[in-house]
Amino acid sequence: MAPSILWKAFDVLGTFSHRHRVLTLAQIARHTGLPKSTVHRVLAMLTETGAVEQTEAGYRVGLRMFALGALPPEAALREAALVHLEKLHRYTSQTLHLAVLRGGDVVYLEKLPSRYGVPSPALVGDRLPAYCTAVGKVLLAHCGDAVTAAALTGPWRPRTAKSLASAEQVLRQLESVRADGLAVDREEAAEGLACVAVPVLVRGRAVAAVSVAFPASAGSGQVLVSPLRQAAAAIARSPAVMHTDDLVAGRREHS
């Protein structure tokens, strides 16, 4: 069956990223593999609805998408978490992440970067394989066996030589994560970078995870665990998080 116009529209929107905020028609056609005539027709539709805006340099995502992006319950979670993340950021001076699980990936809702140390590959709105990240592993450890198994099925995408090499290795590590209540990533997502992460637990369910990233050469990160747990607990107690049933239900349904 030929792809519907809706699928084509999402293919076009999916070509935009942090690294490619403005694209020409030819670039979009090349990235999507769609004929230029089809891309032109889809862009015209998206421009008319405000999902895409045309500039002198090409096309960019429109403000209507920004407005829609503020509607999911994860946006409320991010907003509620930000004050606690900023406090933790001032204390640690390290890079912080707030993420949720979607399929086999983590999606980053917020990132507060450090001016020092090793850059983190995570970008707000982007995805990384869950088993390569501390936030991903702590979420996998709290999402139930069926969801974990589904998340670990599919092509393996190691990011560094130290990324876990198989689902069996991940499952063994998740046992320790459940016992300790935290997860660690040592140069599994990026060389030279380590992370420690804890879950944000609402009514016993991990709706998100928070991590601190730091240079792997700086040690185990154990000194960061207590303030990290305090921040995660404060986020979980936020009224916008505690009273948002859709956030918990959404994580169960789509992860």
Side-chain angles (χ1 to χ4, degrees):
M1 183 174 65
S4 70
I5 191 67
L6 180 61
W7 284 111
K8 292 172 183 175
F10 273 96
D11 284 342
V12 168
L13 290 170
T15 61
F16 295 95
S17 68
H18 288 273
R19 300 176 184 87
H20 302 98
R21 295 180 183 271
V22 179
L23 294 169
T24 65
L25 186 151
Q27 289 173 321
I28 295 170
R30 185 168 64 251
H31 288 316
T32 61
L34 296 170
K36 283 187 179 180
S37 59
T38 300
V39 173
H40 185 270
R41 187 169 66 254
V42 172
L43 284 170
M45 178 189 69
L46 292 172
T47 301
E48 185 176 351
T49 62
V52 166
E53 296 174 356
Q54 189 170 9
T55 70
E56 292 183 0
Y59 295 87
R60 67 184 184 187
V61 175
L63 282 176
R64 185 170 187 183
M65 298 300 292
F66 177 81
L68 291 173
L71 298 179
E74 287 78 12
L77 165 65
R78 174 188 173 276
E79 185 175 352
L82 196 53
V83 62
H84 305 293
L85 294 176
E86 288 173 341
K87 180 179 179 181
L88 181 62
H89 192 244
R90 290 192 295 270
Y91 178 79
T92 65
S93 298
Q94 303 292 345
T95 298
L96 305 184
H97 304 114
L98 175 70
V100 294
L101 186 68
R102 289 297 180 269
D105 296 332
V106 285
V107 180
Y108 288 89
L109 303 182
E110 186 56 87
K111 174 183 177 180
L112 300 182
S114 170
R115 288 179 288 180
Y116 319 101
V118 181
S120 161
L123 295 171
V124 175
D126 270 9
R127 294 171 175 250
L128 286 176
Y131 49 78
C132 292
T133 67
V135 283
K137 286 188 280 188
V138 83
L139 288 168
L140 288 173
H142 289 82
C143 67
D145 293 342
V147 175
T148 301
L152 298 179
T153 301
W156 209 253
R157 295 173 291 157
R159 291 184 53 87
T160 73
K162 295 188 177 180
S163 298
L164 298 180
S166 68
E168 289 73 21
Q169 285 188 353
V170 177
L171 291 171
R172 284 196 297 270
Q173 195 169 111
L174 294 185
E175 295 178 7
S176 298
V177 173
R178 293 186 190 99
D180 299 338
L182 62 92
V184 176
D185 146 30
R186 296 202 63 83
E187 300 186 86
E188 296 168 47
E191 293 182 2
L193 187 72
C195 285
V196 59
V198 300
V200 177
L201 296 172
V202 177
R203 297 188 290 279
R205 295 186 179 275
V207 299
V210 182
S211 73
V212 182
F214 54 94
S217 59
S220 67
Q222 188 62 37
V223 68
L224 301 169
V225 173
S226 180
L228 183 58
R229 282 180 165 148
Q230 291 175 21
I235 294 169
R237 289 193 300 268
S238 301
V241 178
M242 288 182 65
H243 301 143
T244 305
D245 292 335
D246 288 346
L247 182 65
V248 180
R251 201 210 64 80
R252 289 200 304 267
E253 180 182 353
H254 299 296
S255 63

